[in-house]
């Protein structure tokens, strides 16, 4: 007889693949500016403050110890940022 074929690999309804946004640092950029741009004009200072910290945490290995020192051409990973409140 013919052996039973394995069932097709049924993948559970997984969330869509996370599209990780990236951002290339430009000459006049700072993490605050990048977070503010990502969050949009309605973001409060508190949201932007949390946003730049999230960006820094996600990119600490490539940024280094000083979040105020980022170089043009550096590619940053933009994590999902906190809601603009």
């Amino acid at each position: 007889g013919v052996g039973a074929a394995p069932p097709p690999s049924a993948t559970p309804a997984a969330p869509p693949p996370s599209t990780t946004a990236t951002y290339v640092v430009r000459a006049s950029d700072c993490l605050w500016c990048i977070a503010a741009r990502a969050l949009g004009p309605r973001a409060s200072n508190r949201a932007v403050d949390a946003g730049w910290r999230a960006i820094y945490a996600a990119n600490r290995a490539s940024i280094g110890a000083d979040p105020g020192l980022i170089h043009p051409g550096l590619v940053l990973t933009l994590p999902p940022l906190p809601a603009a409140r």
Side-chain angles (χ1 to χ4, degrees):
V2 178
S9 60
T11 54
S18 64
T19 52
T20 306
T22 57
Y23 180 85
V24 180
V25 176
R26 296 194 295 240
S28 61
D29 277 339
C30 64
L31 290 181
W32 179 280
C33 320
I34 296 167
R37 197 175 300 133
L39 287 165
R42 300 167 90 95
S44 66
N45 281 348
R46 173 184 278 168
V48 176
D49 185 60
W52 83 257
R53 292 171 192 279
I55 294 169
Y56 177 54
N59 295 278
R60 188 182 297 257
S62 52
I63 293 173
D66 184 359
L69 185 65
I70 56 176
H71 301 285
L74 178 66
V75 178
L76 299 176
T77 300
L78 296 185
L81 296 179
R85 286 208 179 87

